[in-house]
Amino acid sequence: MSVAHVDDEEAAEVGDVEKALPSGDFYTGQWCNGCPHGNGKYLWTDGCMYVGEWFKGKTTGKGKFCWPSGATYEGEFKHGFMDGKGTYTGFSGETYKGTWVMNLKQGEGTISFVNGDYYEGEWRRGFQEGYGRYHWKNGNQYIGQWKKGLINGNGTMIWSNGNRYDGFWEDGFPKGNGTYKWPDGSFFVGIWSKDGKDQNGTYYPSDSPTEKFDWDPQQVFLEDLKDCKICGGEKVSIWPSEKMPNWFAISKEKDGKQRRRSDGSLSGFSMSSDFNGGSVSFGSEGISRHGDGSVGRLHLEDSVARGSSLQLKKPPTRRQGQTISRGHKNFELMLNLQLGIRHSVGRPGPALSLDLKTSAFDPREKFWTRFPPEGSKHTPPHPSSEFKWKDYCPLVFRTLRKLFDIDAADYMLSICGDDALRELSSPGKSGSFFYLTNDDKYMIKTMKKAEVKVLIRMLPAYYNHVRSFKDTLVTKFFGLHCVKLTGSTQKKVRFVVMGNLFCTDTAIHRRFDLKGSFQGRTTAKPEAEIDSTTTLKDLDLNYIFRLQKLWFKEFCSQVDRDCDFLENERIMDYSLLIGLHFREVSTPHTSGVSSPTGNGDCENGEAPRLSEDSNDQLVINSTRQSPVSLGINMAARAEKTVRKNDCQVVGEPTGVMYDVILFFGIIDILQDYDISKKLEHAYKSMQYDPTSISAVDPKLYSKRFRDFIFKVFIEDT
């Protein structure tokens, strides 16, 4: 066998090869259609190595991955991920043997820690969750329920001295009903609490004679559990899936071979002037500069094609909305809003309990505060005109922020810090305006009085729903307020603070708003004006999304639960908002490539060409590990579809697949089926098919929504 560069003529050969890649990596093994396919060995320049089975350029099947640190994983792979049964041995000697799903421990598995502890049992998303047993080196052991890596639920702790606790736990500590037993047969039964306030119980001595009982249940928290710390384990430095080369891009380099222009620059490869000068280079390839020292635009497709690990300074991104600075018509309103939220969140309150009284949800539970310019006993002086501030059900929303793990200081800093809010360019269909915080964490929406009434009416059910289902897809609400301006207008502006679904460093290349209805459900923009900030609709959708088996089951269950909740609350007109990030985007050969509306030629397997706005949002190092949960940063596959006629609910699959990252959630959940919607239904039913319009009864809406969503999202087989 001869050693050849992958961009030489041998790139198209089939069989056993040895390949030296432009990056300096080396591959030896079976080869087909320009990428590894079969058994092969890949060596990275940083010392990582994989030996095993490949499928179309990705580690799939059985294999072994080795890190330079000495850590190894041996087992099953799928699409580049550690997926299936496998054993990970860390550089410290820590060993996990069990099942994996997309690099995360999931299912049954056993881990032996370097300190001598071990755990065997169930895992979920990389954490101990479900039923399991943890054995400490000192002889203590716990058998029972876990959640997110902590002892949580019903279980038994047995100490090496023979003492034991049987009962309920929360976040690693006894909480609720439980029994503490001694080897002599005596025991304590009661209610347990870490802070000791709610703790009470009864001691029952054994039949054998004992000394006078002198024992404080708080000793369990202060002493007994000191030697029962859960080992966190070592972190994986980089995942095998993050090391996968972009074979399609490498083959493109072979086809084009970087045809050089007469001025010495590279054909089809340039950099954006947004980098503001400085040294920019890609190995020995070189880049030409313009006479003014700037450099041209780097296309997203080209940058991803050369690998997303290029260590460049991230260019300034083109952000949505207009900054509300002095002189803006809503500048004073923004100041009032920030002052009010700082007052509401910063105000001292009682210790929070997740068990709220019915009175906290009372619609009359609202408080007005006057903000004079000179300040008052409870409010600071400010440069704005006098206004009044109203808080709706403040204790409920304060508890919701705790439930959603929102830190009060971070919340105030995001909304009320030195950075101004940004107003989105145009109001929504309802006439509401939207504002984004500078860090993109929160979205503020102005509301009609009717929407406020709906939210307050459904607040008890909403609270119970999001408390019961932490992975709910419905919008997360953090505060409901009103600003009343003084003067002749006496204008009231009501608004709600929500989580921003697309708060991520990952570029969102496509956005879809899906309802399951079809009348008028297409974007009004010409195709040439569609960019990454355009929200496309049902009839624009030209993909189906394939989720891994475990994710798919969880997705279906949660959509059913959320739709049941909305149906019971008589809510309709909601939608599933989807953000789509293409992990590998290629440069199309022709102008007839697939468009966002599904037109164009998709036979060549190209990903859609993205606009310059999408290019500006490129995050060069986009494969870094980020938190993953249902609807947030989920790896999936998108399959291209083609709608053959207007009657098709979902287009026909073409077999063209893209690796994508998905963000999605259910939005616009404050429209009930009121008299205006009933009239809209009656009027439009005379013009169109009643089943195709948005305004329908909540029960029919829920069924139609689910039917459509479960055709768009399918299990990846």
Side-chain angles (χ1 to χ4, degrees), residues 392-410:
Y392 297 90
C393 300
L395 181 59
V396 177
F397 285 103
R398 188 174 169 218
T399 311
L400 279 171
R401 292 193 294 271
K402 178 185 178 183
L403 195 63
F404 293 135
D405 294 325
I406 302 297
D407 181 78
D410 290 340

Side-chain angles (χ1 to χ4, degrees), residues 405-595:
D405 294 325
I406 302 297
D407 181 78
D410 290 340
Y411 183 73
M412 281 197 293
L413 190 63
S414 291
I415 301 175
C416 313
D418 295 335
D419 296 315
L421 303 177
R422 304 197 313 277
E423 182 181 75
L424 297 190
S425 55
S426 61
K429 186 179 178 181
S430 63
S432 299
F433 283 85
F434 292 85
Y435 304 93
L436 281 171
T437 56
N438 189 63
D439 58 8
D440 288 332
K441 284 184 179 179
Y442 306 105
M443 182 174 283
I444 299 167
K445 175 190 175 185
T446 61
M447 303 178 71
K448 296 177 182 177
K449 187 175 182 179
E451 290 178 305
V452 173
K453 287 184 176 180
V454 170
L455 179 53
I456 292 177
R457 173 183 62 77
M458 64 185 284
L459 198 54
Y462 173 84
Y463 178 83
N464 290 330
H465 182 75
V466 299
R467 183 182 178 185
S468 301
F469 306 109
K470 297 295 179 65
D471 288 329
T472 179
L473 299 174
V474 298
T475 304
K476 291 180 170 60
F477 296 119
F478 303 130
L480 183 62
H481 313 282
C482 176
V483 170
K484 183 178 180 181
L485 306 176
T486 56
S488 57
T489 59
Q490 295 284 303
K491 179 182 177 182
K492 287 184 179 179
V493 182
R494 303 170 182 87
F495 58 90
V496 64
V497 184
M498 311 177 291
N500 178 17
L501 185 61
F502 297 150
C503 177
T504 173
D505 287 336
T506 304
I508 303 297
H509 297 138
R510 282 288 177 268
R511 301 166 192 246
F512 294 97
D513 181 279
L514 306 179
K515 291 187 175 184
S517 59
F518 306 102
Q519 188 58 46
R521 296 295 295 164
T522 184
T523 182
K525 279 188 176 184
E527 189 172 326
E529 296 180 15
I530 292 174
D531 58 26
S532 62
T533 63
T534 303
T535 301
L536 305 169
K537 301 181 182 178
D538 299 67
L539 294 178
D540 303 316
L541 181 67
N542 55 342
Y543 297 100
I544 55 175
F545 304 107
R546 296 182 174 273
L547 304 181
Q548 288 232 346
K549 182 177 181 179
L550 290 171
W551 280 122
F552 179 70
K553 287 183 178 179
E554 190 167 338
F555 170 78
C556 292
S557 298
Q558 193 57 54
V559 169
D560 280 334
R561 288 190 287 257
D562 290 339
C563 286
D564 287 342
F565 157 67
L566 295 171
E567 182 183 328
N568 291 336
E569 294 303 309
R570 302 289 293 165
I571 301 298
M572 41 78 69
D573 218 20
Y574 47 87
S575 56
L576 185 74
L577 182 63
I578 302 174
L580 188 60
H581 168 82
F582 291 96
R583 300 183 68 176
E584 296 176 355
V585 185
S586 54
T587 307
H589 287 300
T590 67
S591 60
V593 295
S594 52
S595 70

Side-chain angles (χ1 to χ4, degrees), residues 315-382:
T317 57
R318 187 176 302 175
R319 310 180 75 185
Q320 277 187 283
Q322 177 188 5
T323 300
I324 304 177
S325 54
R326 189 174 297 278
H328 190 284
K329 63 178 181 178
N330 288 326
F331 178 72
E332 192 164 296
L333 176 63
M334 182 192 73
L335 292 182
N336 297 345
L337 186 154
Q338 291 177 321
L339 283 165
I341 288 181
R342 188 181 292 118
H343 168 75
S344 299
V345 179
R347 184 173 51 197
L352 287 180
S353 168
L354 296 181
D355 298 317
L356 295 177
K357 296 180 180 178
T358 306
S359 59
F361 298 93
D362 192 319
R364 295 169 295 182
E365 191 75 2
K366 48 193 176 184
F367 303 92
W368 282 104
T369 304
R370 178 172 160 266
F371 279 77
E374 66 276 11
S376 67
K377 181 179 179 181
H378 302 290
T379 64
H382 58 87

